[in-house]
Amino acid sequence: MLTLIRIGEIVATKRRALGLSQATLAKQARVGHSTLDALENGRIGELGYSKITRILTALSLELTIQEAANRRPTLEELMEEDRDDQSLDRRR
């Protein structure tokens, strides 16, 4: 899962690679310098979608949605696993 802390790390790395200061990026993205600094340094608990997308757009980045690699099992899958475990116990 992509966390806000990880997004901040990616933003900081990309900003530095582009040779931008925090102040310049903050101005381009129309967010406060303190907001950008807090994001990059993992000190922000929450940040709205529009701010995140403005920051990413200014860096030529975007968020994408995809199926999670580690999804939680369904109830049916858990019940089947339990049945399999019980049948193994009976074989002993």
Side-chain angles (χ1 to χ4, degrees):
M1 176 194 283
L2 187 62
T3 65
L4 200 52
I5 290 173
R6 182 66 184 126
I7 291 172
E9 292 169 351
I10 293 167
V11 165
T13 300
K14 180 70 172 185
R15 177 185 60 75
R16 289 183 194 113
L18 293 173
L20 298 173
S21 68
Q22 282 185 340
T24 300
L25 177 57
K27 185 175 181 178
Q28 289 177 357
R30 299 182 329 271
V31 299
H33 180 263
S34 61
T35 298
L36 181 60
D37 182 66
L39 173 64
E40 287 189 3
N41 291 292
R43 294 188 321 266
I44 197 163
E46 206 171 287
L47 188 60
Y49 177 78
S50 61
K51 287 182 181 180
I52 290 172
T53 56
R54 286 197 310 263
I55 293 167
L56 295 178
T57 299
L59 295 169
S60 298
L61 298 172
E62 65 181 19
L63 286 176
T64 59
I65 297 175
Q66 64 184 33
E67 289 289 327
N70 296 323
R71 66 173 180 79
R72 296 180 71 175
T74 65
L75 177 59
E76 291 78 22
E77 290 169 335
L78 291 172
M79 290 173 66
E80 184 176 333
E81 184 179 318
D82 185 53
R83 281 192 298 271
D84 291 345
D85 287 348
Q86 288 176 7
S87 74
L88 287 175
D89 287 341
R90 281 184 247 149
R91 290 182 190 163
R92 290 181 185 173

